[in-house]
Amino acid sequence: MPRLTIKNLKTQEEQVFNLPQDAITIGRTSACDLELPDTGVSRKHSEIVREGDDYFLIDLKSGNGTFLNGKKIRPIEKHLLRVGDVIKIENYEIHFALAEESTDKPIEEDTDTDIIEVKMIKKVLKALNKDAAPSLEVLNGVAEGKKILFTDDLQEVDIGRDPKCKLFIDEVVISRHHAKLIRKWGGIVLVDLGSRNGCYVNNEKVQEKLLRDGDKLMLGTIKFLYRNPQDINVEAIGQEISRKKREAALKEAELMEIQQKKKEEEEARAKEDAEKAAQDQVEEEEERKKAAEEAAQKEAQSAAPSQGLPEQPIPSDGTAPSPGLPAEGLSLTEKILIGVGVLVFLLALIAVISILMK
């Protein structure tokens, strides 16, 4: 929607209006959408009308006229408005801009680099002579490379196969008087003159069309390129740069997040592998110890004597101990019993011998 900033040149007061309607009337009475209380302003002085995405300023046959960027416009004739245009009506200046239509969109602040880039664009445009006249260039056919410049003194250019045409194109697909370009509505307008093969702007057939910078025209099969440096919107270019930079920053942040996540996963996997390797080493060490202990036990068992009796020590004189009897370790009672037994045995032996001798 239009954003109109009205400045009173006498009091220096400013008011800002965002008006969504398709027709905005400007005048001295309260019935107008924009009231300018000045005797030099007509009751219905001028109006701003919308056609598609374009806005036009029309002077309604006012008494003192309407000025657009310092030039007085013709009454009842449309003049294209661009961002930054200044309308002057008596002691009032109206600055034309476009407001954001959606309030849901977050406010985006321009960074220092954005401002620098826009300033650089402005310098480049100035170096390329931004105020250069609009032009129409033939892109193919026998007239390829031919260009018409719309200087301030040139109001109309006719295009056709007739040699008398300002832009003469000797092609069978071009009618003798195919089309004309007229300076009106604050720009250059293409008008079809009843041609046989028609006029197209950006692949759309038209009868009358206000041209914008970069439009591609086609008359029959002949292609043209229209350029108008005055249509270049530096603010829009700056916004597009900011948008592209934000998109690139978001993509870079997403990529960094993915890389960081991948790095964390790799570190977690490496840590898990290290812990598993350490655990395997501990288990292997325990199995080794257990196997060593089992081997030692088996070796000890194989080295022990087959009887359950303890092994008898060998005397120092080399004689073997009596079988079945331990050499040491007998208690006193055991020694007495052994002695009594031996004595009884000897007595019995003597008795047997004495009987045999009788």
Side-chain angles (χ1 to χ4, degrees):
M1 70 178 73
R3 180 183 180 88
L4 304 177
T5 303
I6 302 177
K7 182 178 181 180
N8 189 321
L9 298 178
K10 286 184 177 180
T11 63
Q12 300 300 313
E13 293 180 356
E14 290 188 0
Q15 290 180 294
V16 180
F17 297 89
N18 294 326
L19 302 175
Q21 58 263 43
D22 291 335
I24 303 168
T25 56
I26 305 170
R28 191 176 70 246
T29 66
S30 59
C32 296
D33 297 309
L34 293 180
E35 181 182 358
L36 305 180
D38 190 296
T39 55
V41 179
S42 301
R43 294 175 62 84
K44 289 187 70 174
H45 197 103
S46 58
E47 68 176 349
I48 297 173
V49 296
R50 177 178 181 175
E51 292 184 6
D53 294 331
D54 296 323
Y55 291 88
F56 296 88
L57 174 66
I58 303 174
D59 182 87
L60 301 177
K61 297 183 178 179
S62 62
N64 294 321
T66 303
F67 293 80
L68 178 61
N69 297 325
K71 296 181 179 180
K72 189 174 183 179
I73 64 174
R74 297 177 181 178
I76 314 300
E77 183 176 301
K78 294 188 295 185
H79 293 266
L80 178 66
L81 289 174
R82 301 178 178 86
V83 173
D85 280 351
V86 179
I87 305 166
K88 187 174 183 300
I89 300 175
E90 290 302 302
N91 295 312
Y92 293 92
E93 279 186 354
I94 303 173
H95 296 259
F96 179 81
L98 295 177
E100 292 289 341
E101 296 186 3
S102 173
T103 58
D104 296 333
K105 295 181 180 179
I107 297 175
E108 299 174 345
E109 297 182 357
D110 289 334
T111 62
D112 292 340
T113 55
D114 296 334
I115 295 172
I116 292 172
E117 286 171 352
V118 172
K119 288 182 177 179
M120 290 177 64
I121 292 171
K122 288 182 177 180
K123 289 181 179 179
V124 171
L125 291 176
K126 186 176 181 181
L128 295 175
N129 190 6
K130 184 180 183 296
D131 295 329
S135 65
L136 184 71
E137 182 180 359
V138 184
L139 300 180
N140 65 331
V142 296
E144 181 179 354
K146 185 178 289 187
K147 180 185 288 189
I148 289 289
L149 291 177
F150 289 88
T151 55
D152 291 340
D153 59 341
L154 187 61
Q155 297 299 318
E156 184 175 307
V157 172
D158 51 347
I159 306 171
R161 202 172 69 251
D162 190 331
K164 295 180 181 179
C165 291
K166 183 74 173 177
L167 183 53
F168 167 59
I169 301 177
D170 190 13
E171 296 275 3
V172 293
V173 295
I174 300 293
S175 302
R176 289 184 60 80
H177 297 278
H178 198 110
K180 66 179 177 179
L181 299 170
I182 305 174
R183 186 186 291 276
K184 67 175 184 178
W185 300 349
I188 305 298
V189 177
L190 173 68
V191 180
D192 191 311
L193 299 178
S195 63
R196 183 176 69 254
N197 293 318
C199 297
Y200 295 82
V201 177
N202 300 324
N203 297 322
E204 178 186 355
K205 190 172 184 179
V206 299
Q207 291 296 324
E208 187 176 45
K209 176 73 173 180
L210 175 67
L211 300 179
R212 307 303 295 265
D213 180 66
D215 280 349
K216 296 177 181 178
L217 286 62
M218 191 163 68
L219 309 185
T221 58
I222 306 303
K223 298 177 182 179
F224 303 79
L225 177 64
Y226 175 77
R227 301 312 303 261
N228 186 358
Q230 297 175 3
D231 281 345
I232 297 175
N233 190 335
V234 176
E235 285 73 16
I237 294 174
Q239 292 175 3
E240 183 67 12
I241 291 173
S242 299
R243 186 181 68 82
K244 293 290 186 182
K245 287 178 64 179
R246 281 188 291 272
E247 290 179 356
L250 287 174
K251 288 181 180 178
E252 184 178 359
E254 290 176 359
L255 182 60
M256 290 180 63
E257 184 177 357
I258 292 172
Q259 292 176 344
Q260 181 65 25
K261 187 176 180 180
K262 185 177 180 181
K263 182 179 179 181
E264 291 175 355
E265 290 176 353
E266 290 176 351
E267 290 177 351
R269 194 179 300 112
K271 184 179 179 182
E272 184 179 348
D273 292 343
E275 291 176 352
K276 188 174 183 301
Q279 183 66 25
D280 291 344
Q281 187 175 0
V282 170
E283 291 177 357
E284 185 179 349
E285 186 67 25
E286 290 179 353
E287 289 179 358
R288 249 195 326 267
K289 287 182 180 179
K290 186 176 180 181
E293 290 175 359
E294 290 177 353
Q297 290 178 359
K298 288 180 180 179
E299 185 177 354
Q301 289 176 359
S302 62
S306 57
Q307 289 92 354
L309 295 175
E311 185 177 358
Q312 297 178 1
I314 300 174
S316 58
D317 56 0
T319 60
S322 301
L325 293 176
E328 305 180 335
L330 297 177
S331 65
L332 179 61
T333 302
E334 291 173 337
K335 292 178 179 180
I336 292 172
L337 289 174
I338 292 172
V340 172
V342 171
L343 181 61
V344 171
F345 175 75
L346 291 174
L347 290 175
L349 182 59
I350 293 172
V352 171
I353 293 172
S354 64
I355 292 172
L356 291 174
M357 291 179 65
K358 292 178 179 182

